[in-house]
Amino acid sequence: MTESRARNGTQWARADATRRALLDAAREVFSDRGYEAAGIAEIVERSGVSVGSLYHHYGGKSGLFLALWEEHTAEQERMATRAVKAARAGGEKDSITLFITGTAAFLEFCWDHRRTSRLFVSGEGPTGFGLMRRSRMRQWLAQNTRLLSDHNQMLPLILTTAIGEAGREVSIADSPEDAHSLITQTTEILRRLAR
């Protein structure tokens, strides 16, 4: 490996560490204070990174919030997708069972990452956040429509909407028992609606 290549690798690793520190600090501050009350100074202080680096990597508070949201929703989708793939690998073919398996994984993620989930279901965020959420909802609906293609065309819309609301309730549950009870109730209701 050339010296130049090694230097570039080190710079990329440092940039990744800087972005990670900023996202982790932003998650804490936004979760503690909400988007509007969160301050750049506190995010920078908690991250140990310079203000200039925050603006370089994210362009400001709104860019940081949106990057955090993108990371959170991408991980939710990965968890649901992994659960569905594992069920398929285990021989499951029923689309409703696969859909409910993905739903349970999604809702578990909402509980496991409840502080961040609560932040995003509060509706607070930068200008344009509502539009981004609606766009993501349409993408999620399209995925669910493909999975449930052998059912009534309104079923994916109804189920996807119900899951979104269930995610909100799970993320604000008072205890693990309450959260898991809500997840179980949701999957049972979805199964009845889908049959």
Side-chain angles (χ1 to χ4, degrees), residues 14-29 42-50 54 58 64 68 71:
R14 247 182 299 170
D16 286 346
T18 296
R19 284 190 290 274
R20 181 79 266 142
L22 286 165
L23 286 171
D24 290 345
R27 179 180 296 107
E28 291 174 18
V29 174
E42 186 175 3
I43 293 170
V44 167
E45 182 181 328
R46 285 194 194 191
S47 71
V49 173
S50 72
L54 183 147
Y58 296 105
L64 191 53
L68 188 60
E71 180 181 76

mmCIF file of all heavy atoms in Angstrom, residues 14-29 42-50 54 58 64 68 71:
data_model
loop_
_atom_site.group_PDB
_atom_site.id
_atom_site.type_symbol
_atom_site.label_atom_id
_atom_site.label_comp_id
_atom_site.label_asym_id
_atom_site.label_seq_id
_atom_site.Cartn_x
_atom_site.Cartn_y
_atom_site.Cartn_z
ATOM 1 N N ARG A 14 -11.102 8.936 9.955
ATOM 2 C CA ARG A 14 -11.325 10.080 10.840
ATOM 3 C C ARG A 14 -12.641 10.776 10.506
ATOM 4 O O ARG A 14 -13.395 11.171 11.398
ATOM 5 C CB ARG A 14 -10.169 11.075 10.721
ATOM 6 C CG ARG A 14 -9.361 11.156 11.997
ATOM 7 C CD ARG A 14 -8.276 12.158 11.868
ATOM 8 N NE ARG A 14 -7.445 11.665 10.784
ATOM 9 C CZ ARG A 14 -6.466 12.306 10.193
ATOM 10 N NH1 ARG A 14 -6.160 13.498 10.547
ATOM 11 N NH2 ARG A 14 -5.774 11.771 9.236
ATOM 12 N N ALA A 15 -12.925 10.923 9.215
ATOM 13 C CA ALA A 15 -14.188 11.561 8.802
ATOM 14 C C ALA A 15 -15.377 10.722 9.266
ATOM 15 O O ALA A 15 -16.380 11.268 9.743
ATOM 16 C CB ALA A 15 -14.220 11.756 7.293
ATOM 17 N N ASP A 16 -15.276 9.403 9.138
ATOM 18 C CA ASP A 16 -16.351 8.519 9.612
ATOM 19 C C ASP A 16 -16.536 8.652 11.119
ATOM 20 O O ASP A 16 -17.663 8.700 11.618
ATOM 21 C CB ASP A 16 -16.054 7.059 9.262
ATOM 22 C CG ASP A 16 -16.242 6.750 7.792
ATOM 23 O OD1 ASP A 16 -16.851 7.571 7.068
ATOM 24 O OD2 ASP A 16 -15.767 5.678 7.350
ATOM 25 N N ALA A 17 -15.432 8.712 11.859
ATOM 26 C CA ALA A 17 -15.506 8.856 13.316
ATOM 27 C C ALA A 17 -16.134 10.205 13.690
ATOM 28 O O ALA A 17 -16.923 10.286 14.638
ATOM 29 C CB ALA A 17 -14.117 8.718 13.936
ATOM 30 N N THR A 18 -15.811 11.237 12.938
ATOM 31 C CA THR A 18 -16.381 12.568 13.183
ATOM 32 C C THR A 18 -17.886 12.542 12.946
ATOM 33 O O THR A 18 -18.667 13.034 13.768
ATOM 34 C CB THR A 18 -15.716 13.622 12.277
ATOM 35 O OG1 THR A 18 -14.326 13.706 12.622
ATOM 36 C CG2 THR A 18 -16.366 14.989 12.415
ATOM 37 N N ARG A 19 -18.302 11.958 11.814
ATOM 38 C CA ARG A 19 -19.737 11.868 11.515
ATOM 39 C C ARG A 19 -20.466 11.058 12.579
ATOM 40 O O ARG A 19 -21.554 11.423 13.031
ATOM 41 C CB ARG A 19 -19.959 11.272 10.120
ATOM 42 C CG ARG A 19 -19.672 12.259 9.000
ATOM 43 C CD ARG A 19 -20.128 11.738 7.649
ATOM 44 N NE ARG A 19 -19.324 10.639 7.170
ATOM 45 C CZ ARG A 19 -18.186 10.770 6.486
ATOM 46 N NH1 ARG A 19 -17.723 11.959 6.196
ATOM 47 N NH2 ARG A 19 -17.521 9.709 6.078
ATOM 48 N N ARG A 20 -19.847 9.946 13.009
ATOM 49 C CA ARG A 20 -20.477 9.102 14.031
ATOM 50 C C ARG A 20 -20.630 9.873 15.344
ATOM 51 O O ARG A 20 -21.659 9.803 15.995
ATOM 52 C CB ARG A 20 -19.619 7.841 14.236
ATOM 53 C CG ARG A 20 -20.150 6.874 15.249
ATOM 54 C CD ARG A 20 -21.271 6.007 14.713
ATOM 55 N NE ARG A 20 -22.560 6.573 15.000
ATOM 56 C CZ ARG A 20 -23.613 6.542 14.171
ATOM 57 N NH1 ARG A 20 -23.538 5.973 13.004
ATOM 58 N NH2 ARG A 20 -24.749 7.087 14.492
ATOM 59 N N ALA A 21 -19.586 10.592 15.756
ATOM 60 C CA ALA A 21 -19.645 11.359 16.997
ATOM 61 C C ALA A 21 -20.736 12.418 16.921
ATOM 62 O O ALA A 21 -21.479 12.624 17.894
ATOM 63 C CB ALA A 21 -18.283 12.005 17.281
ATOM 64 N N LEU A 22 -20.859 13.079 15.785
ATOM 65 C CA LEU A 22 -21.904 14.092 15.621
ATOM 66 C C LEU A 22 -23.296 13.478 15.657
ATOM 67 O O LEU A 22 -24.193 14.007 16.314
ATOM 68 C CB LEU A 22 -21.692 14.865 14.313
ATOM 69 C CG LEU A 22 -20.548 15.869 14.330
ATOM 70 C CD1 LEU A 22 -20.180 16.301 12.912
ATOM 71 C CD2 LEU A 22 -20.909 17.071 15.192
ATOM 72 N N LEU A 23 -23.494 12.359 14.968
ATOM 73 C CA LEU A 23 -24.807 11.703 14.971
ATOM 74 C C LEU A 23 -25.181 11.209 16.366
ATOM 75 O O LEU A 23 -26.323 11.366 16.799
ATOM 76 C CB LEU A 23 -24.836 10.551 13.968
ATOM 77 C CG LEU A 23 -24.915 10.940 12.497
ATOM 78 C CD1 LEU A 23 -24.725 9.717 11.610
ATOM 79 C CD2 LEU A 23 -26.234 11.629 12.181
ATOM 80 N N ASP A 24 -24.220 10.625 17.069
ATOM 81 C CA ASP A 24 -24.508 10.125 18.415
ATOM 82 C C ASP A 24 -24.866 11.266 19.358
ATOM 83 O O ASP A 24 -25.815 11.163 20.147
ATOM 84 C CB ASP A 24 -23.323 9.328 18.961
ATOM 85 C CG ASP A 24 -23.121 7.997 18.240
ATOM 86 O OD1 ASP A 24 -24.047 7.550 17.524
ATOM 87 O OD2 ASP A 24 -22.027 7.413 18.388
ATOM 88 N N ALA A 25 -24.114 12.362 19.289
ATOM 89 C CA ALA A 25 -24.412 13.519 20.135
ATOM 90 C C ALA A 25 -25.752 14.134 19.754
ATOM 91 O O ALA A 25 -26.551 14.506 20.627
ATOM 92 C CB ALA A 25 -23.294 14.554 20.018
ATOM 93 N N ALA A 26 -26.028 14.222 18.468
ATOM 94 C CA ALA A 26 -27.304 14.793 18.004
ATOM 95 C C ALA A 26 -28.472 13.945 18.486
ATOM 96 O O ALA A 26 -29.501 14.479 18.905
ATOM 97 C CB ALA A 26 -27.312 14.903 16.484
ATOM 98 N N ARG A 27 -28.317 12.628 18.437
ATOM 99 C CA ARG A 27 -29.385 11.733 18.914
ATOM 100 C C ARG A 27 -29.712 12.049 20.378
ATOM 101 O O ARG A 27 -30.867 12.172 20.755
ATOM 102 C CB ARG A 27 -28.965 10.272 18.768
ATOM 103 C CG ARG A 27 -30.007 9.288 19.257
ATOM 104 C CD ARG A 27 -29.590 7.835 19.111
ATOM 105 N NE ARG A 27 -29.437 7.488 17.711
ATOM 106 C CZ ARG A 27 -28.268 7.300 17.098
ATOM 107 N NH1 ARG A 27 -27.138 7.419 17.775
ATOM 108 N NH2 ARG A 27 -28.205 6.983 15.830
ATOM 109 N N GLU A 28 -28.687 12.207 21.184
ATOM 110 C CA GLU A 28 -28.895 12.509 22.607
ATOM 111 C C GLU A 28 -29.576 13.868 22.792
ATOM 112 O O GLU A 28 -30.560 13.975 23.530
ATOM 113 C CB GLU A 28 -27.554 12.519 23.337
ATOM 114 C CG GLU A 28 -26.895 11.177 23.475
ATOM 115 C CD GLU A 28 -25.500 11.290 24.085
ATOM 116 O OE1 GLU A 28 -25.184 12.329 24.702
ATOM 117 O OE2 GLU A 28 -24.725 10.326 23.955
ATOM 118 N N VAL A 29 -29.040 14.888 22.134
ATOM 119 C CA VAL A 29 -29.554 16.246 22.337
ATOM 120 C C VAL A 29 -30.975 16.376 21.779
ATOM 121 O O VAL A 29 -31.855 16.923 22.438
ATOM 122 C CB VAL A 29 -28.603 17.294 21.720
ATOM 123 C CG1 VAL A 29 -29.204 18.701 21.801
ATOM 124 C CG2 VAL A 29 -27.242 17.257 22.421
ATOM 125 N N GLU A 42 -24.554 22.675 22.056
ATOM 126 C CA GLU A 42 -24.596 21.495 22.914
ATOM 127 C C GLU A 42 -24.220 20.233 22.126
ATOM 128 O O GLU A 42 -23.531 19.350 22.657
ATOM 129 C CB GLU A 42 -25.976 21.331 23.546
ATOM 130 C CG GLU A 42 -26.016 20.203 24.553
ATOM 131 C CD GLU A 42 -27.338 20.071 25.290
ATOM 132 O OE1 GLU A 42 -28.291 20.833 25.000
ATOM 133 O OE2 GLU A 42 -27.419 19.190 26.163
ATOM 134 N N ILE A 43 -24.672 20.137 20.896
ATOM 135 C CA ILE A 43 -24.310 18.974 20.066
ATOM 136 C C ILE A 43 -22.805 18.931 19.868
ATOM 137 O O ILE A 43 -22.165 17.879 20.024
ATOM 138 C CB ILE A 43 -25.054 19.025 18.713
ATOM 139 C CG1 ILE A 43 -26.558 18.846 18.928
ATOM 140 C CG2 ILE A 43 -24.502 17.961 17.754
ATOM 141 C CD1 ILE A 43 -27.409 19.121 17.700
ATOM 142 N N VAL A 44 -22.220 20.076 19.555
ATOM 143 C CA VAL A 44 -20.776 20.153 19.347
ATOM 144 C C VAL A 44 -20.031 19.793 20.623
ATOM 145 O O VAL A 44 -19.062 19.024 20.600
ATOM 146 C CB VAL A 44 -20.391 21.565 18.836
ATOM 147 C CG1 VAL A 44 -18.896 21.800 18.913
ATOM 148 C CG2 VAL A 44 -20.890 21.747 17.404
ATOM 149 N N GLU A 45 -20.497 20.331 21.750
ATOM 150 C CA GLU A 45 -19.837 20.044 23.029
ATOM 151 C C GLU A 45 -19.887 18.551 23.345
ATOM 152 O O GLU A 45 -18.884 17.952 23.728
ATOM 153 C CB GLU A 45 -20.512 20.839 24.142
ATOM 154 C CG GLU A 45 -19.860 20.641 25.496
ATOM 155 C CD GLU A 45 -20.561 21.427 26.587
ATOM 156 O OE1 GLU A 45 -21.099 22.517 26.302
ATOM 157 O OE2 GLU A 45 -20.585 20.925 27.722
ATOM 158 N N ARG A 46 -21.051 17.936 23.200
ATOM 159 C CA ARG A 46 -21.177 16.505 23.509
ATOM 160 C C ARG A 46 -20.375 15.631 22.549
ATOM 161 O O ARG A 46 -19.909 14.558 22.926
ATOM 162 C CB ARG A 46 -22.645 16.076 23.465
ATOM 163 C CG ARG A 46 -23.437 16.536 24.652
ATOM 164 C CD ARG A 46 -24.757 15.798 24.724
ATOM 165 N NE ARG A 46 -25.673 16.437 25.659
ATOM 166 C CZ ARG A 46 -26.790 15.882 26.066
ATOM 167 N NH1 ARG A 46 -27.150 14.687 25.632
ATOM 168 N NH2 ARG A 46 -27.578 16.517 26.907
ATOM 169 N N SER A 47 -20.264 16.080 21.306
ATOM 170 C CA SER A 47 -19.555 15.267 20.312
ATOM 171 C C SER A 47 -18.046 15.399 20.407
ATOM 172 O O SER A 47 -17.316 14.505 19.979
ATOM 173 C CB SER A 47 -19.999 15.656 18.903
ATOM 174 O OG SER A 47 -19.497 16.949 18.553
ATOM 175 N N GLY A 48 -17.577 16.545 20.932
ATOM 176 C CA GLY A 48 -16.137 16.789 20.962
ATOM 177 C C GLY A 48 -15.591 17.161 19.590
ATOM 178 O O GLY A 48 -14.392 17.085 19.334
ATOM 179 N N VAL A 49 -16.475 17.557 18.699
ATOM 180 C CA VAL A 49 -16.116 17.894 17.320
ATOM 181 C C VAL A 49 -16.336 19.392 17.128
ATOM 182 O O VAL A 49 -17.167 19.993 17.808
ATOM 183 C CB VAL A 49 -16.994 17.072 16.339
ATOM 184 C CG1 VAL A 49 -16.791 17.483 14.906
ATOM 185 C CG2 VAL A 49 -16.719 15.580 16.514
ATOM 186 N N SER A 50 -15.635 19.983 16.200
ATOM 187 C CA SER A 50 -15.756 21.427 15.979
ATOM 188 C C SER A 50 -17.049 21.787 15.244
ATOM 189 O O SER A 50 -17.623 20.971 14.529
ATOM 190 C CB SER A 50 -14.567 21.944 15.173
ATOM 191 O OG SER A 50 -14.669 21.514 13.824
ATOM 192 N N LEU A 54 -19.178 20.081 11.916
ATOM 193 C CA LEU A 54 -20.619 19.839 11.829
ATOM 194 C C LEU A 54 -21.174 20.437 10.536
ATOM 195 O O LEU A 54 -21.887 19.766 9.789
ATOM 196 C CB LEU A 54 -21.334 20.434 13.042
ATOM 197 C CG LEU A 54 -22.835 20.176 13.102
ATOM 198 C CD1 LEU A 54 -23.283 20.052 14.549
ATOM 199 C CD2 LEU A 54 -23.649 21.233 12.413
ATOM 200 N N TYR A 58 -22.652 18.113 7.641
ATOM 201 C CA TYR A 58 -24.114 18.081 7.635
ATOM 202 C C TYR A 58 -24.789 19.389 7.251
ATOM 203 O O TYR A 58 -26.002 19.424 7.100
ATOM 204 C CB TYR A 58 -24.642 17.605 8.997
ATOM 205 C CG TYR A 58 -24.220 16.191 9.285
ATOM 206 C CD1 TYR A 58 -23.218 15.903 10.200
ATOM 207 C CD2 TYR A 58 -24.797 15.129 8.589
ATOM 208 C CE1 TYR A 58 -22.818 14.602 10.438
ATOM 209 C CE2 TYR A 58 -24.405 13.826 8.815
ATOM 210 C CZ TYR A 58 -23.408 13.569 9.742
ATOM 211 O OH TYR A 58 -23.009 12.285 9.960
ATOM 212 N N LEU A 64 -28.207 17.562 10.053
ATOM 213 C CA LEU A 64 -27.853 16.560 11.057
ATOM 214 C C LEU A 64 -29.095 15.771 11.486
ATOM 215 O O LEU A 64 -29.074 14.539 11.573
ATOM 216 C CB LEU A 64 -27.224 17.267 12.257
ATOM 217 C CG LEU A 64 -26.540 16.442 13.318
ATOM 218 C CD1 LEU A 64 -25.492 15.511 12.730
ATOM 219 C CD2 LEU A 64 -25.889 17.373 14.338
ATOM 220 N N LEU A 68 -29.760 11.767 10.791
ATOM 221 C CA LEU A 68 -30.113 10.865 11.892
ATOM 222 C C LEU A 68 -31.395 10.113 11.577
ATOM 223 O O LEU A 68 -31.500 8.901 11.796
ATOM 224 C CB LEU A 68 -30.264 11.684 13.181
ATOM 225 C CG LEU A 68 -30.453 10.930 14.475
ATOM 226 C CD1 LEU A 68 -29.272 10.015 14.755
ATOM 227 C CD2 LEU A 68 -30.623 11.919 15.623
ATOM 228 N N GLU A 71 -30.717 7.444 8.923
ATOM 229 C CA GLU A 71 -30.034 6.302 9.525
ATOM 230 C C GLU A 71 -31.021 5.440 10.315
ATOM 231 O O GLU A 71 -31.009 4.207 10.206
ATOM 232 C CB GLU A 71 -28.914 6.806 10.436
ATOM 233 C CG GLU A 71 -28.143 5.695 11.125
ATOM 234 C CD GLU A 71 -27.072 6.246 12.036
ATOM 235 O OE1 GLU A 71 -27.417 6.725 13.145
ATOM 236 O OE2 GLU A 71 -25.895 6.177 11.644
#
